[in-house]
Amino acid sequence: GFLRPGFSYRDGVDYLYAKIVEFEETGQDLDNLLSRDWMVKLTASLIPRGLENNQAFLGSLQQHWNAAVFDKLEAKIESDIPADGSGASIVDAVRSSRSILTEKDVVLTEYCELLLGHLQVDEATKKVLAAQHFARARRLCAILSELIEFATK
């Protein structure tokens, strides 16, 4: 029921995140995450007809989508922190580096790589961040690119 004009980006990101996790857990191909029907529904809900080539609209859409993806990324990293709080520095680093995304206009996929390089954590933690959290965030950003491309066809 969230697929209507004006549904929140966070609702869309939450739904797609859950779908990504489901596909990972069941061993399905993430390249087949969205059927053509879902591509049509999501595109119609996110990109009004006539705005698919409007660069100002698409730039704003990407900015808001990335913010929702970043919020989801931050929440998921925070939910993985042990009860003793030993991973709090990771969440703090992610939170404090959020300004990099907006100030320097860095796309989320580049941000993930930059952050991984600067985090002062052990290699095992970096592997989990890269393979799980950042990979899912990159996939969410890729979905928006696919929807924009689909809208222009």
Side-chain angles (χ1 to χ4, degrees), residues 74-86:
E74 188 179 292
K76 287 300 181 178
I77 291 172
E78 191 168 18
S79 72
D80 277 356
I81 293 177
D84 65 4
S86 59

Side-chain angles (χ1 to χ4, degrees), residues 116-134:
L116 271 178
H118 290 92
L119 278 177
Q120 302 297 320
V121 295
D122 59 277
E123 286 304 311
T125 302
K126 282 186 180 185
K127 275 187 175 179
V128 169
L129 287 171
Q132 191 176 49
H133 296 297
F134 291 162

Side-chain angles (χ1 to χ4, degrees), residues 42-73:
L42 285 169
T43 301
S45 295
L46 286 170
I47 307 168
R49 184 171 293 272
L51 292 179
E52 63 273 4
N53 293 314
N54 182 318
Q55 294 307 310
F57 170 78
L58 295 176
S60 178
L61 172 64
Q62 282 190 303
Q63 185 178 32
H64 290 291
W65 185 265
N66 284 349
V69 170
F70 187 91
D71 290 343
K72 187 68 172 181
L73 172 68

Side-chain angles (χ1 to χ4, degrees), residues 3 7 10 14 19 23 28 40 43-44 47 50 54 62 66 70 75 86 92 100-101 115 118-121:
L3 278 180
F7 78 94
R10 281 179 178 66
D14 287 345
K19 203 155 174 67
F23 269 53
Q28 297 180 62
V40 169
T43 301
I47 307 168
N54 182 318
Q62 282 190 303
N66 284 349
F70 187 91
S86 59
D92 290 341
I100 293 172
L101 283 173
L115 183 61
H118 290 92
L119 278 177
Q120 302 297 320
V121 295

